[in-house]
Amino acid sequence: VQAAGPEARARYWLETGRSYASHRHPPGTQTAVTRQLARDAYMRALAIAKGANLDAVAIDVLHMLPFVDTDPAEQLDWNRQALAMVESSEQEQARRWEPSIRSNLGESLYELGRYDEALEQFRQSTALFEQRQDARSARDGYWHVAHTLRALNRNSEALAIQLRLERECDAAGAPKAYIFEELEILFRAAGDDERAEYYAGRIKSLK
């Protein structure tokens, strides 16, 4: 590994870190040992990437560290560092991380109960995905927007978005249980148990 160039070495340690902690690892499989192994590998990757001005790789590392440090405040810090690097970089590959990092930042803010701030990040992320004509990611973004609107007790706005997402996903042949779950909650909150039961049935149909 030491004989390789900086990008190869950074990516080696990045993937080593991913082998210990990532979105593919259920929380129950994580231990203090695996988290430390992951953190050590990620920090080595980050140091190499920063030293070689490999901004996109460094951002990739920063966006993985919340899988190691799972406290929402720590996750928020890593996501803020990632966004700062995205915004300061002049490298196109680094700039392309912006919608994903803003979405991750929104999730951290949501977990901390900072819903207004989370909503702003989700809206910016979604707009960027739409600019790229990435329809699937934009739909995911709108789901986060609507989910956060519900947390803010803005249920009528949330309902309108989730119903639109239901139509779009059905048209794409890709119905999503998490949209139906939100719709069930929203209709129950509105006192419409008949519609709520309809979406409970749609959830079951996908299992």
Side-chain angles (χ1 to χ4, degrees):
V1 176
Q2 293 304 317
E7 182 168 1
R9 286 187 286 118
R11 291 189 180 280
Y12 170 83
W13 289 113
L14 170 59
E15 297 308 321
T16 298
R18 272 199 255 264
S19 72
Y20 291 114
S22 74
H23 70 284
R24 298 182 183 278
H25 294 79
T29 68
Q30 299 294 277
T31 66
V33 172
T34 58
R35 284 195 295 271
Q36 189 58 53
L37 288 167
R39 184 181 289 104
D40 290 345
Y42 286 140
M43 296 310 292
R44 292 184 74 167
L46 184 61
I48 296 167
K50 283 186 172 181
N53 295 317
L54 298 167
D55 292 354
V57 179
I59 293 163
D60 195 349
V61 177
L62 288 168
H63 111 283
M64 294 304 301
L65 282 160
F67 293 105
V68 176
D69 295 323
T70 56
D71 178 80
E74 293 178 311
Q75 292 179 324
L76 179 64
D77 182 59
W78 288 124
N79 286 321
R80 286 197 184 284
Q81 288 188 50
L83 182 59
M85 181 165 282
V86 167
E87 292 180 325
S88 65
S89 180
E90 296 181 357
Q91 299 172 22
E92 177 61 25
Q93 284 186 312
R95 298 291 298 180
R96 290 192 65 80
W97 274 96
E98 185 173 358
S100 297
I101 296 301
R102 286 194 181 279
S103 181
N104 293 346
L105 182 57
E107 290 186 47
S108 296
L109 290 163
Y110 184 96
E111 289 300 314
L112 290 166
R114 295 163 61 173
Y115 301 131
D116 286 311
E117 294 171 82
L119 182 60
E120 178 59 25
Q121 293 302 325
F122 288 136
R123 281 180 164 160
Q124 289 189 52
S125 170
T126 303
L128 289 166
F129 280 127
E130 286 190 314
Q131 288 175 19
R132 295 180 185 180
Q133 299 183 331
D134 184 343
R136 185 172 65 177
S137 295
R139 284 196 295 269
D140 287 343
Y142 275 114
W143 182 90
H144 282 293
V145 167
H147 181 64
T148 308
L149 286 168
R150 179 168 67 80
L152 289 164
N153 295 314
R154 294 164 62 177
N155 286 9
S156 60
E157 296 171 75
L159 181 60
I161 293 171
Q162 296 290 5
L163 287 170
R164 176 172 59 79
L165 291 175
E166 177 194 17
R167 293 191 298 269
E168 290 178 1
C169 288
D170 284 349
K176 302 295 183 183
Y178 52 80
I179 294 173
F180 304 148
E181 288 167 359
E182 285 291 307
L183 286 167
E184 180 186 359
I185 292 168
L186 288 163
F187 278 114
R188 288 203 191 282
D192 191 337
D193 288 337
E194 183 177 351
R195 292 292 298 276
E197 286 302 317
Y198 168 76
Y199 287 106
R202 291 212 70 180
I203 294 167
K204 290 178 182 177
S205 73
L206 294 178
K207 293 182 178 177

